[in-house]
Amino acid sequence: MIPTPHAVWADIERIRAQAPLIHNITNFVVMNNTANALLALGASPAMVHAPEEVEDFVSISSALVVNIGTLDATFVAGMKLAMRRAKDLGKPIVFDPVGVGATAFRNRVSRELLTLAAPNIIRGNASEIMALAGLDAQTKGVDSLFGSEAAVEAARRLSRAWGSVVVVSGATDYIIRHDQTATIANGHPLMTKVTGMGCTATALTGAFAATNPDYFQAATHAMAVMGIAGERAVGKQAAPGSLQLNFLDALYHLTEADITERLNSAGA
């Protein structure tokens, strides 16, 4: 499937019209960034991880985003309850295996979560996707030591194993569903100098999944919007601090003309 500007824009219009509530169990580093990005896109964020209330929040949310960036026992307990509840209710689940492959604890938790409730969409960098697929991939904390193209076969393996759409982020984003592939080549290298941009991509993917039940299409459109907004933000001023602010403004002011002008995609 080759994404079209019209289809991407239609998803953005649905998000802005519906303002879906996106339940995020995410890490302390990015909570503010991802909440503001969801608001700028047109969605409504909830940053809730306490085991005592996650099931209630899942029940009123349109999608669940789980990000394992800053794990502890309380977070893990909340993730398990929320993912089980979302699966029972048929709510879309987007999973970000931040730093998987770096520690035994992180690896074990990731396997437990996948087994408990296979996500509809998994998004990570090449090292994370390769480690999650069971390959002996090297990591540098939460950073990838591989280009996204190196993880395409691992992404296919993951997609077949769990039935998930798998997104490999990088200079080119690969979106995989079984034998189906889309690529998005938008974005800018400066985005790697701002913490949490990958986590933001995952959160935005939750908003697209909340309003588009074709999760392959939803994930592809989310990565396109992420990259295009990043390009527009860098165009305003090429510096990391400014990028954070300009990225939110770019999301908020994004138009169909921006997507038509900039979308760089392919499909197979």
Side-chain angles (χ1 to χ4, degrees), residues 11-213:
D11 270 2
I12 293 173
E13 288 191 309
R14 276 191 288 270
I15 292 168
R16 290 175 174 175
Q18 297 175 24
L21 178 62
I22 311 303
H23 180 180
N24 296 263
I25 304 179
T26 191
N27 67 75
F28 291 122
V29 179
V30 304
M31 284 185 184
N32 184 68
N33 305 55
T34 54
N36 280 327
L38 284 166
L39 285 169
L41 181 65
S44 178
M47 322 306 282
V48 176
H49 61 266
E52 294 82 1
E53 63 175 347
V54 291
E55 291 175 296
D56 291 337
F57 258 94
V58 167
S59 298
I60 63 172
S61 299
S62 298
L64 171 67
V65 174
V66 173
N67 175 310
I68 66 168
T70 51
L71 284 179
D72 63 23
T74 299
F75 265 68
V76 173
M79 289 172 181
K80 289 180 177 179
L81 289 169
M83 289 180 71
R84 184 184 294 114
R85 182 65 171 157
K87 187 61 68 173
D88 288 345
L89 294 174
K91 304 283 181 82
I93 302 170
V94 182
F95 180 58
D96 191 332
V98 177
V100 68
T103 69
F105 175 56
R106 201 165 287 266
N107 295 347
R108 175 174 59 81
V109 168
S110 295
R111 286 193 298 269
E112 290 174 353
L113 294 175
L114 287 176
T115 302
L116 178 69
N120 301 101
I121 302 170
I122 300 169
R123 192 220 62 84
N125 63 38
S127 290
E128 291 162 347
I129 295 303
M130 293 167 74
L132 199 63
L135 303 180
D136 188 18
Q138 293 179 307
T139 65
K140 190 180 74 173
V142 300
D143 296 324
S144 181
L145 296 177
F146 299 91
S148 53
E149 67 283 351
V152 169
E153 287 309 311
R156 293 199 194 286
R157 179 173 171 176
L158 266 183
S159 182
R160 293 184 183 120
W162 301 105
S164 309
V165 174
V166 180
V167 180
V168 188
S169 293
T172 297
D173 302 315
Y174 289 86
I175 301 90
I176 307 290
R177 179 170 61 190
H178 305 301
D179 293 325
Q180 192 174 14
T181 304
T183 61
I184 298 293
N186 289 104
H188 191 279
L190 189 62
M191 295 170 74
T192 65
K193 301 300 182 183
V194 177
T195 190
M197 292 301 279
C199 301
T200 298
T202 303
L204 296 185
T205 301
F208 280 84
T211 54
N212 186 343

